[in-house]
Amino acid sequence: MKQTLSPSPGLDIVIFGGAGDLSFRKLLPALYMAHAHDKLSADTRIVAVGRQAWQTVDYLAFIDTHSPAFIEASEFDQAVWQSFLQRLVYVCVDVTSAASFAALTSVCATPCLRVYYLATAPHLFSQICAHLHSAGLVDAQSRVVLEKPLGTGLASARSINQEVAQYFAEQQIYRIDHYLGKETVQNLMVLRFGNAIFEPLWRAPSIKSVQITVAESVGVGSRAGFYDGAGALRDMVQNHLLQLLCIVAMEQPISLDADDVRDEKLKVLRSLRPMRLADVKRDTVRGQYTAGASDGQPVAAYLDEAGVPPDSRTETFVALRLQINNARWANVPFFLRTGKRLQNRRSEIIIEFADQAFSVFGKSETSEPNRLIISLQPEESIQLAMMVKEPGTGMHMHPVRLGLDLQQSSEKRRAEAYERLLMDVIKGRLTHFMRRDELEAAWTWIDPILAGWAELDDKPRPYPAGSWGPAASSALMARDDLSWFEEH
Ligand code: BG6
């Protein structure tokens, strides 16, 4: 690896897949926000790399048409946008051809800190890294950001990791999971480790169950090409839901240093009870949406979406029951659930506390267990469900929620996940990115589920768009005498 001549103040953010969906929907709007809020130094350039035989002016026209719709209207200012566009340069590169990288070398002639954002299909990652290296564009301070999905299983994830590692050291690699950039997800750590009241209760037997839901109301949209080969388990559970699980279940790290935090998350992943075939059969539910309604409008079945093969068995919904083999979580069931075309867009974590061993008030129809309800999106709130006295004569109880609206709790601007994570990359902060062993541990647990489904020839269960998934998902919880939150 070539060493840098000297630290240089300049910064190039080089985006491969510069004209792709992720770039114009997320990355450029996030960089615009950073620019608008003076977070990018004057000498920061954004170098978009794409296959299209465009000049920079064509790319600017493309971005100008597509990106502003993804910037909050109250944050969009035409003059600021025009000054942002001046940072952009477009380079046409065929990433499969080493010779084609000459165009990039000439644009990147001056040494500076370079962040390579690989927003392309993962099978191109190793080629891009190899060609960057041979073109002399990788030095000890370069960073590479790898978008998910990183592989389709343990074997492919390992081989991508191995190949990228030939050109970048682990501390130069930023494996992104945008859920780790969400304000509410980062806040989970503060909630757990910055408040004295939770720690003594955050364990078995005080906690009876944990449920984590990431529900989407959107369908597959225009992404069938990718999604049909992936499905909800690879697209959402392997990364976003397991990362949320790690933050809920991990021990307090010894510091906020990236490796200390990631060591603790790794321990959770390694403690997940492995899924044998019988567990896959009993503890997992796959679903696929049929025609129904979303926001009051009729919507098509997954099988009728553009680009989906008519006999596809890809799951658009998954629910899982899992256990963590350690003392803190002994016998506490964790339930994960995610799906497209569900009733609403809602991500939440519900911590259900154990029933009281004894209560002088006895059990009444209105009594409910204490629950901590952490809403990640669209609302950002924390609520504690508790029992209070119903006003009036007698001593009757009724449930109420003690609530904290996180959006109202500070006047400060809440940056979007991609903006926050891009700034972390620029500043060299790895805490909110996945380490190689963490990613591989997640796949190690996921692979047997995929294999189990294949072996069982498991067909996804139909569920109407606009519902909460197949009935089997409720049955999965009912076995433990529990129910999903919306069923309470
Ligand atoms: C992405 C998945 O990682 O996350 C998409 O590939 C999904 O399928 C998206 O729609 C959800 O992200 P968010 O931030 O809208 O919850």
Side-chain angles (χ1 to χ4, degrees), residues 148 178-179 182 216 223 235-236 240 340 345 377:
K148 68 164 271 280
H178 77 281
Y179 268 58
K182 290 184 190 263
E216 297 188 273
R223 294 170 70 226
D235 185 42
M236 298 292 288
H240 306 326
K340 295 209 183 282
R345 174 172 188 253
Q377 57 187 29

Short mmCIF file of all heavy atoms in Angstrom, two decimals, residues 148 178-179 182 216 223 235-236 240 340 345 377, ligand 1:
data_model
loop_
_atom_site.label_atom_id
_atom_site.label_comp_id
_atom_site.label_asym_id
_atom_site.label_seq_id
_atom_site.Cartn_x
_atom_site.Cartn_y
_atom_site.Cartn_z
N LYS A 148 -24.55 -1.86 2.01
CA LYS A 148 -25.19 -3.16 2.13
C LYS A 148 -25.98 -3.44 0.86
O LYS A 148 -26.32 -2.49 0.17
CB LYS A 148 -26.09 -3.20 3.36
CG LYS A 148 -27.34 -2.31 3.23
CD LYS A 148 -28.37 -2.65 4.25
CE LYS A 148 -29.32 -3.71 3.77
NZ LYS A 148 -30.40 -3.26 2.89
N HIS A 178 -27.43 1.95 7.51
CA HIS A 178 -27.90 3.31 7.81
C HIS A 178 -28.74 3.38 9.09
O HIS A 178 -28.90 4.45 9.66
CB HIS A 178 -28.60 3.94 6.60
CG HIS A 178 -30.00 3.46 6.36
ND1 HIS A 178 -30.28 2.28 5.75
CD2 HIS A 178 -31.21 4.02 6.66
CE1 HIS A 178 -31.59 2.13 5.67
NE2 HIS A 178 -32.18 3.16 6.21
N TYR A 179 -29.22 2.21 9.57
CA TYR A 179 -29.96 2.25 10.84
C TYR A 179 -29.06 2.73 11.98
O TYR A 179 -29.52 3.34 12.93
CB TYR A 179 -30.59 0.89 11.15
CG TYR A 179 -32.00 0.83 10.60
CD1 TYR A 179 -32.22 1.03 9.24
CD2 TYR A 179 -33.10 0.65 11.43
CE1 TYR A 179 -33.51 1.04 8.73
CE2 TYR A 179 -34.39 0.66 10.92
CZ TYR A 179 -34.58 0.85 9.57
OH TYR A 179 -35.85 0.88 9.06
N LYS A 182 -29.25 6.47 12.53
CA LYS A 182 -30.49 7.15 12.93
C LYS A 182 -30.34 7.69 14.35
O LYS A 182 -29.84 6.99 15.23
CB LYS A 182 -31.67 6.17 12.86
CG LYS A 182 -32.04 5.81 11.42
CD LYS A 182 -33.27 4.93 11.37
CE LYS A 182 -33.48 4.38 9.97
NZ LYS A 182 -34.42 5.12 9.15
N GLU A 216 -42.83 -1.52 7.07
CA GLU A 216 -42.88 -0.53 5.99
C GLU A 216 -44.23 -0.62 5.31
O GLU A 216 -44.78 -1.72 5.18
CB GLU A 216 -41.80 -0.84 4.95
CG GLU A 216 -40.39 -0.76 5.48
CD GLU A 216 -39.40 -0.91 4.35
OE1 GLU A 216 -39.05 -2.05 4.02
OE2 GLU A 216 -39.00 0.12 3.81
N ARG A 223 -37.50 -1.80 -7.22
CA ARG A 223 -36.26 -2.52 -6.86
C ARG A 223 -36.38 -4.04 -6.97
O ARG A 223 -35.60 -4.77 -6.38
CB ARG A 223 -35.86 -2.16 -5.42
CG ARG A 223 -35.47 -0.72 -5.27
CD ARG A 223 -35.33 -0.38 -3.81
NE ARG A 223 -34.17 -0.99 -3.18
CZ ARG A 223 -34.19 -1.61 -2.00
NH1 ARG A 223 -35.32 -1.77 -1.36
NH2 ARG A 223 -33.08 -2.09 -1.48
N ASP A 235 -32.38 -8.58 3.27
CA ASP A 235 -32.45 -7.14 3.07
C ASP A 235 -32.55 -6.37 4.38
O ASP A 235 -32.00 -5.27 4.50
CB ASP A 235 -33.67 -6.83 2.17
CG ASP A 235 -33.77 -5.36 1.80
OD1 ASP A 235 -32.72 -4.76 1.47
OD2 ASP A 235 -34.89 -4.79 1.82
N MET A 236 -33.25 -6.92 5.35
CA MET A 236 -33.53 -6.16 6.57
C MET A 236 -33.05 -6.82 7.86
O MET A 236 -32.56 -6.15 8.75
CB MET A 236 -35.06 -5.94 6.70
CG MET A 236 -35.68 -5.14 5.60
SD MET A 236 -35.18 -3.41 5.54
CE MET A 236 -36.03 -2.73 6.95
N HIS A 240 -30.19 -4.52 9.58
CA HIS A 240 -30.85 -3.53 10.44
C HIS A 240 -31.42 -4.14 11.74
O HIS A 240 -31.19 -3.64 12.82
CB HIS A 240 -32.00 -2.84 9.70
CG HIS A 240 -31.59 -2.22 8.39
ND1 HIS A 240 -30.36 -1.66 8.17
CD2 HIS A 240 -32.26 -2.08 7.22
CE1 HIS A 240 -30.30 -1.19 6.92
NE2 HIS A 240 -31.43 -1.45 6.33
N LYS A 340 -42.76 -5.57 4.06
CA LYS A 340 -43.21 -4.49 3.17
C LYS A 340 -44.73 -4.60 3.05
O LYS A 340 -45.31 -5.65 3.30
CB LYS A 340 -42.57 -4.64 1.80
CG LYS A 340 -41.05 -4.44 1.87
CD LYS A 340 -40.47 -3.89 0.59
CE LYS A 340 -38.97 -3.76 0.65
NZ LYS A 340 -38.50 -2.59 1.40
N ARG A 345 -45.95 2.53 8.29
CA ARG A 345 -44.50 2.57 8.45
C ARG A 345 -44.26 2.80 9.94
O ARG A 345 -44.68 3.84 10.49
CB ARG A 345 -43.93 3.72 7.64
CG ARG A 345 -42.45 3.92 7.88
CD ARG A 345 -41.87 4.93 6.91
NE ARG A 345 -40.43 4.97 7.02
CZ ARG A 345 -39.74 5.97 7.58
NH1 ARG A 345 -40.38 7.02 8.09
NH2 ARG A 345 -38.44 5.93 7.64
N GLN A 377 -39.29 5.30 14.35
CA GLN A 377 -39.81 6.09 13.24
C GLN A 377 -41.22 5.65 12.94
O GLN A 377 -41.56 4.51 13.23
CB GLN A 377 -38.91 5.95 12.00
CG GLN A 377 -38.72 4.52 11.54
CD GLN A 377 -37.70 4.37 10.43
OE1 GLN A 377 -36.78 5.13 10.29
NE2 GLN A 377 -37.88 3.36 9.61
C1 BG6 B 1 -32.93 -0.55 3.15
C2 BG6 B 1 -33.63 -1.70 2.48
O1 BG6 B 1 -31.72 -0.97 3.70
O2 BG6 B 1 -33.74 -0.02 4.19
C3 BG6 B 1 -34.99 -1.25 1.93
O3 BG6 B 1 -32.84 -2.18 1.42
C4 BG6 B 1 -35.81 -0.57 3.01
O4 BG6 B 1 -35.70 -2.36 1.38
C5 BG6 B 1 -34.98 0.50 3.73
O5 BG6 B 1 -36.94 0.00 2.40
C6 BG6 B 1 -35.74 1.04 4.94
O6 BG6 B 1 -35.04 2.14 5.47
P1 BG6 B 1 -35.79 3.26 6.30
O7 BG6 B 1 -34.71 4.18 6.75
O8 BG6 B 1 -36.79 3.90 5.36
O9 BG6 B 1 -36.48 2.56 7.43
#
